[in-house]
Amino acid sequence: MKKGILVLLVSLGITTCLAQQQITLDLQQTIALANDSSLEAFRTKNMYLAGYWEYRTYKANRLPSLTLNMTPAQYNRDITKRYDSEQNLDIYRSQQSFYAYGNLAIRQNFDLTGGTFYLDTELGYMRSFGNNKSTQFTSVPVRVGYSQSLVGYNPFRWERKIEPLKYEKAKKEYLYNAEQVSEQATTYFFALAMAQAEYDLAKENAVSTDTLYRIGMQRLKIAAISRADLLTLKLDVVNARNTLQNAISSLKRAMFSLASFLNMEKNASIQVTLPGRPQTLVIPVDEALQAAQANNPQFLGLRQGVLEAERNVDKTRKESRFNASINASVGFNQVAEKFGEAYKHPMQQEMVSVSISVPLVDWGVRKGKYNMAKNNLNVVKTSARQNEIGIEEEVIMTVNDFNVQQDLVASAEEALDLAVLAYNETRQRFIIGKADINSLTLSLNRQQEAQRNYISALKDYWLNYYKIRKLTLHDFASGFSLSEKFDYNQY
């Protein structure tokens, strides 16, 4: 992470001092740093990796598994009850025995039916001590079998529907969160830009009011202004200095917030460069809606919720009836006193078992669970549709705001240019005595307000731009889908 910061900072031409870093950032560089090195970006990457490994686990479960089960040693020395056929009664006898067992099995799940095929081999060893010493080896050289729930719930079929959807959602959530990081970076960037502009205006105003006060003192000597006007100029000097101190504090706070978000040194001195007037870009509402429905991970999450609710209905419905399962296998086995003979002339082994469980009286427990699952499915479907409508409304409103915001940026830029010209003209007129103090103050306030409006218009434009990218995962400026170009490199 730190390496990524250093590489990017060097590319930005940053000069580093012993006490403080002097950094100049534009909006795109700020966003690049945020997506590379911020703690939020780190959290986003790890959230994606969790979903990635969950999907890898699902895929691995679809492959054959090889398992070794062993009981390397089991020693028994106890007194147990045995039947004595000669005396026709049960008696207690002491016994000593040693037992060892091993099983090597290959299993393959079958998604279509929910059953499991298996192929295994076994070897067992038993030795008895005492009066009747004996040694036996028992072997199953090979056995092939299949186990299946006949009318029960099939989790494999539902996993095949849900798990790929969950992974697709994880990928798009990664992109969604990355755009959300860009949105947050934009907010911090323009907060610093506003604080920086306020500081520049306050500093300029402090110098200007001091100059005007000195001019006022000279004009008072020739009775060109009244003493009340001079006191007003003095008050402006005091207010300007107070405003400058507040602006310095606000600038430091905004700078600290951006540095913390970008995971930089807290004493970094950051100066931002405002972006110019954005290019003309009109986003069709219909295209934005289509992109959102295809790419937005919230839509995928709603579909996942519906599938999981349908899975619960299927599970409770089948569990409310009788359960039946079958387990069948065919193979060979043998028993002998010597290890080598345990694999000679093996006998055929066959096993078929069918088990049935029929609920007779459960006082409506299974039926209640099934009805709960059905009602929950209806709730999930209704909530999903409501959320879909909410997302669609958000896309429509954001796109409409964005399309209008471009004109507002141009208008705010024009208003700022006019306000600067008007203030400079009024200031010159005041210096030569053709404008009063009220006109000068009003002109200064208009310039400051125009500066704030221009920065706010730029901020709203870029926030809407990245919000649209987040909601649709589509870059309308270049015309490509972010999800189609998904490429996560794990370091």
Side-chain angles (χ1 to χ4, degrees), residues 103-168:
N103 172 276
L104 185 64
I106 299 176
R107 295 182 177 273
Q108 172 65 63
N109 296 327
F110 190 51
D111 291 356
L112 184 62
T113 62
T116 301
F117 290 99
Y118 58 89
L119 172 67
D120 66 352
T121 180
E122 292 181 3
L123 176 64
Y125 169 76
M126 184 175 65
R127 181 177 178 84
S128 298
F129 304 95
N131 296 329
N132 299 318
K133 296 182 180 179
S134 67
T135 301
Q136 284 187 319
F137 290 90
T138 179
S139 70
V140 178
V142 63
R143 176 172 51 201
V144 179
Y146 178 76
S147 60
Q148 162 78 54
S149 177
L150 297 178
V151 294
Y153 167 68
N154 181 1
F156 302 145
R157 183 171 66 89
W158 286 103
E159 285 179 0
R160 190 169 56 179
K161 290 182 178 181
I162 294 175
E163 292 302 325
L165 180 64
K166 287 174 63 177
Y167 179 56
E168 188 66 23

Side-chain angles (χ1 to χ4, degrees), residues 242-262:
N242 292 336
T243 302
L244 179 59
Q245 291 300 318
N246 292 331
I248 291 173
S249 298
S250 298
L251 180 62
K252 288 181 179 178
R253 283 195 297 270
M255 200 176 294
F256 180 84
S257 296
L258 180 59
S260 297
F261 180 72
L262 297 179

Side-chain angles (χ1 to χ4, degrees), residues 44-45 48-49 51-52 167-178 473 480-490:
T44 294
K45 293 172 184 176
Y48 164 72
L49 287 176
Y52 169 77
Y167 179 56
E168 188 66 23
K169 187 187 73 168
K171 291 194 294 185
K172 292 184 176 179
E173 276 182 342
Y174 174 74
L175 297 171
Y176 181 93
N177 291 332
L473 297 187
F480 67 85
S481 173
L482 301 179
S483 59
E484 292 178 358
K485 292 184 175 290
F486 177 84
D487 182 21
Y488 179 83
N489 294 318
Q490 182 181 353

Side-chain angles (χ1 to χ4, degrees), residues 400-419:
N400 288 335
D401 290 344
F402 174 80
N403 290 335
V404 172
Q405 198 65 38
Q406 297 176 84
D407 294 333
L408 294 179
V409 171
S411 178
E413 185 179 25
E414 182 181 4
L416 176 60
D417 294 338
L418 292 174

Side-chain angles (χ1 to χ4, degrees), residues 38 48 50 53 58 142 146 175 187 200 209 212 241 293 302 305 336-337 349 359 379 409 426 437:
S38 69
Y48 164 72
W53 286 111
Y58 156 74
V142 63
Y146 178 76
L175 297 171
T187 300
D200 292 340
T209 54
L212 293 175
R241 290 173 182 171
Q293 291 167 353
L302 296 175
E337 295 182 355
Q349 178 194 57
V379 171
V409 171
T426 304
I437 187 64

Side-chain angles (χ1 to χ4, degrees), residues 206-465:
V207 174
S208 178
T209 54
D210 187 69
T211 301
L212 293 175
Y213 175 66
R214 293 178 185 277
I215 294 173
M217 292 177 63
Q218 297 298 323
R219 292 177 63 186
L220 180 65
K221 293 178 181 180
I222 59 175
I225 63 171
S226 66
R227 187 167 186 79
D229 286 341
L230 182 64
L231 290 175
T232 300
L233 290 174
K234 178 64 174 177
L235 179 61
D236 288 343
V237 171
V238 175
N239 289 336
R241 290 173 182 171
N242 292 336
T243 302
L244 179 59
Q245 291 300 318
N246 292 331
I248 291 173
S249 298
S250 298
L251 180 62
K252 288 181 179 178
R253 283 195 297 270
M255 200 176 294
F256 180 84
S257 296
L258 180 59
S260 297
F261 180 72
L262 297 179
N263 204 21
M264 292 181 175
E265 296 296 332
K266 302 302 183 289
N267 65 340
S269 177
I270 306 174
Q271 185 171 2
V272 297
T273 304
L274 283 175
R277 181 186 295 185
Q279 62 177 350
T280 301
L281 175 63
V282 178
I283 299 177
V285 174
D286 292 341
E287 291 184 14
L289 277 175
Q290 290 176 2
Q293 291 167 353
N295 299 323
N296 193 303
Q298 296 181 62
F299 281 100
L300 295 179
L302 296 175
R303 295 171 201 162
Q304 177 187 332
V306 172
L307 280 176
E308 289 175 345
E310 290 176 346
R311 177 191 62 187
N312 290 337
V313 170
D314 180 58
K315 185 173 186 291
T316 55
R317 178 174 61 86
K318 291 180 177 176
E319 288 179 347
S320 66
R321 305 179 308 199
F322 74 93
N323 294 325
S325 62
I326 183 173
N327 186 6
S329 66
V330 60
F332 301 93
N333 66 344
Q334 184 58 279
V335 61
E337 295 182 355
K338 296 182 180 180
F339 173 76
E341 295 178 356
Y343 286 91
K344 290 182 179 180
H345 310 294
M347 300 174 61
Q348 186 169 339
Q349 178 194 57
E350 296 175 350
M351 188 275 294
V352 176
S353 69
V354 177
S355 61
I356 298 176
S357 173
V358 181
L360 298 178
V361 179
D362 66 354
W363 309 107
V365 173
R366 289 178 172 84
K367 183 178 180 181
K369 290 181 178 180
Y370 173 59
N371 289 331
M372 287 170 57
K374 283 201 306 180
N375 293 334
N376 182 64
L377 174 60
N378 293 332
V379 171
V380 170
K381 286 183 176 179
T382 303
S383 299
R385 184 54 194 150
Q386 289 176 335
N387 291 333
E388 287 177 359
I389 293 173
I391 299 170
E392 290 169 356
E393 288 179 353
E394 188 176 12
V395 171
I396 292 171
M397 297 304 298
T398 305
V399 170
N400 288 335
D401 290 344
F402 174 80
N403 290 335
V404 172
Q405 198 65 38
Q406 297 176 84
D407 294 333
L408 294 179
V409 171
S411 178
E413 185 179 25
E414 182 181 4
L416 176 60
D417 294 338
L418 292 174
V420 171
L421 291 175
Y423 172 72
N424 291 334
E425 181 68 22
T426 304
R427 185 173 182 274
Q428 292 300 321
R429 286 170 57 80
F430 177 82
I431 291 174
I432 62 178
K434 292 186 177 181
D436 58 19
I437 187 64
N438 290 331
S439 298
L440 181 65
T441 302
L442 180 61
S443 180
L444 176 62
N445 290 338
R446 286 174 176 172
Q447 179 191 354
Q448 292 174 339
E449 187 65 23
Q451 179 71 47
R452 297 187 188 100
N453 290 340
Y454 175 65
I455 296 176
S456 295
L458 277 177
K459 174 185 175 181
D460 292 340
Y461 173 88
W462 287 107
L463 281 178
N464 285 328
Y465 175 76

